[in-house]
Amino acid sequence: VQAVVPEVTIPPEVTPEKVTTHIIDTSSKSEDQDMLERELRKANVVCIVYAVDERSSFTQVHEYWLPLLRRQGVNLPVILVGNKVDMRDEDIGRATVLEDEVVPIMNEYREIEICVECSAKALLNVSELFYFAQKAVLHPTRPLYDARDHAMKPRCTEALVRIFRLCDMDGDSVLNDAELNEFQRKCFNTPLQQRELEGVKDIITASRPDGITSGGLNIEGFLYLHLLFIQRGRVETTWMVLRRFGYGDDLSLREDFLYPECDVPPDCCVELSPSGYAFLAEIFKRYDADGDSAFCATELDNIFSLSPGIPWKHSKFPESTVTNAAGNVTLEGWL
């Protein structure tokens, strides 16, 4: 058996995520330390493999490998891999590493995404290992979920609350069936069948009855639904929603989403289209809470709470546009 296996490339067409995967094996020998550091700098995810029938290799995981990654400043998702699981059944009298022993290590080293047990000999869970490795890169759990507290992290919650408010078109703090279907179409390009819609409501009602009202799904139910996705290993569903609404891997709004390219030739100008005017007029009507046909400071703060902030705050806004006698922004000034 080779001490270090040559690089292996898995083509995109044979993986669920349709991405090319390069598998780089490394050595723990001191003379290979420089090569190990180079490969770690290029890596997207690290798989640390130990043998379940060899306790010393398991000890190396938390006494050598994980501390080494931290000393090197490697900030990557880690997959723990317990190999030779077939030997656990064969060597009943031998002290093998049990799954429960891994939990304290995962709690101490939060960079560990998951622990997978497999058998290279019996080809058990080998493909699943690389699936989880890809998933840890493309749909990481750590930015979204605190495994110790069994709760979503604040930035994930904040992003999902913003998405809920954007989808709540009538502003009643509830997503009705039409709004849920529009959300489903926007994120997944397909509407929910009525039976599926009722199934989602039943799941939430069973565990979080305060998440459903007579009108539909409220914010508590919306957040609970995504908590279920994450806890049940469907974190890619929440990531699809977040990315569709402009969020990057760090849960901040992406630059290309906030500032889309708009190439205007030097001899041309830009103006709003009729549909653009209609859209902005509808936004004005929706957020004019007191119905006085003008935006006061509170209403402006409310509308821009869904964005990084008021874009004209450094240009003497609102004095720089049309206001009424009270200094509030009128529809003309808004447009």
Side-chain angles (χ1 to χ4, degrees), residues 3 24 37 58 61 128 270 324 328 330:
I24 310 294
E37 292 179 12
F58 178 69
V61 170
E128 284 80 359
V270 176
N324 61 16
N328 297 332
T330 63

Side-chain angles (χ1 to χ4, degrees), residues 32-293:
D32 296 325
Q33 190 73 17
D34 289 343
M35 188 199 79
L36 172 62
E37 292 179 12
R38 285 197 303 272
E39 295 299 343
L40 284 174
R41 284 195 291 270
K42 294 189 293 182
N44 299 109
V45 59
V46 177
C47 296
I48 301 178
V49 185
Y50 62 91
V52 299
D53 67 332
E54 187 179 334
R55 186 157 293 278
S56 61
S57 74
F58 178 69
T59 302
Q60 283 284 87
V61 170
H62 56 90
E63 290 188 358
Y64 176 77
W65 285 110
L66 288 168
L68 172 69
L69 296 181
R70 287 193 172 179
R71 286 198 304 272
Q72 297 291 338
V74 176
N75 186 24
L76 295 173
V78 173
I79 309 292
L80 286 189
V81 184
N83 192 25
K84 298 187 179 182
V85 72
D86 54 290
M87 299 297 292
R88 181 180 286 156
D89 297 327
E90 293 180 15
D91 295 353
I92 297 176
R94 192 170 179 178
T96 57
V97 178
L98 302 177
E99 292 180 73
D100 289 347
E101 298 179 75
V102 177
V103 175
I105 297 174
M106 294 183 69
N107 288 336
E108 181 180 354
Y109 292 90
R110 308 305 294 279
E111 55 266 42
I112 299 173
E113 285 280 327
I114 194 170
C115 179
V116 182
E117 291 196 335
C118 66
S119 169
K121 178 182 178 181
L123 297 180
L124 175 67
N125 278 351
V126 175
S127 59
E128 284 80 359
L129 156 63
F130 296 114
Y131 166 72
F132 282 118
Q134 289 181 338
K135 193 174 175 180
V137 177
L138 300 173
H139 312 295
T141 303
R142 285 184 303 153
L144 309 184
Y145 185 70
D146 189 321
R148 183 174 297 171
D149 296 334
H150 304 290
M152 285 191 295
K153 291 186 175 179
R155 292 196 70 176
C156 178
T157 300
E158 181 183 330
L160 290 173
V161 168
R162 172 181 173 270
I163 291 169
F164 179 91
R165 291 183 60 200
L166 286 170
C167 295
D168 179 21
M169 296 304 296
D170 56 12
D172 65 349
S173 300
V174 172
L175 297 185
N176 58 38
D177 288 0
E179 291 166 337
L180 279 170
N181 259 317
E182 183 58 34
F183 165 79
Q184 179 76 10
R185 272 193 293 267
K186 181 179 178 67
C187 297
F188 308 107
N189 297 316
T190 179
L192 282 170
Q193 300 298 322
Q194 189 60 36
R195 185 177 61 183
E196 296 172 318
L197 199 55
E198 295 303 322
V200 168
K201 293 178 182 178
D202 289 343
I203 290 171
I204 297 172
T205 301
S207 300
R208 189 69 193 264
D210 62 334
I212 295 289
T213 71
S214 59
L217 187 70
N218 62 24
I219 185 60
E220 287 79 13
F222 186 75
L223 293 175
Y224 178 72
L225 190 61
H226 283 279
L227 180 64
L228 281 184
F229 287 145
I230 296 169
Q231 290 179 335
R232 295 181 179 182
R234 293 178 55 191
V235 67
E236 65 273 14
T237 302
T238 298
W239 271 118
M240 287 177 70
V241 171
L242 290 166
R243 286 169 177 153
R244 189 66 184 84
F245 279 85
Y247 288 92
D249 290 346
D250 61 352
L251 292 183
S252 62
L253 291 171
R254 302 188 311 271
E255 289 290 303
D256 65 297
F257 180 80
L258 291 173
Y259 309 107
E261 289 188 11
C262 183
D263 294 325
V264 182
D267 57 342
C268 296
C269 61
V270 176
E271 62 181 25
L272 285 171
S273 65
S275 59
Y277 274 110
F279 171 78
L280 290 171
E282 179 61 31
I283 293 292
F284 184 90
K285 180 180 177 182
R286 177 178 168 186
Y287 284 91
D288 180 21
D290 55 12
D292 66 348
S293 299

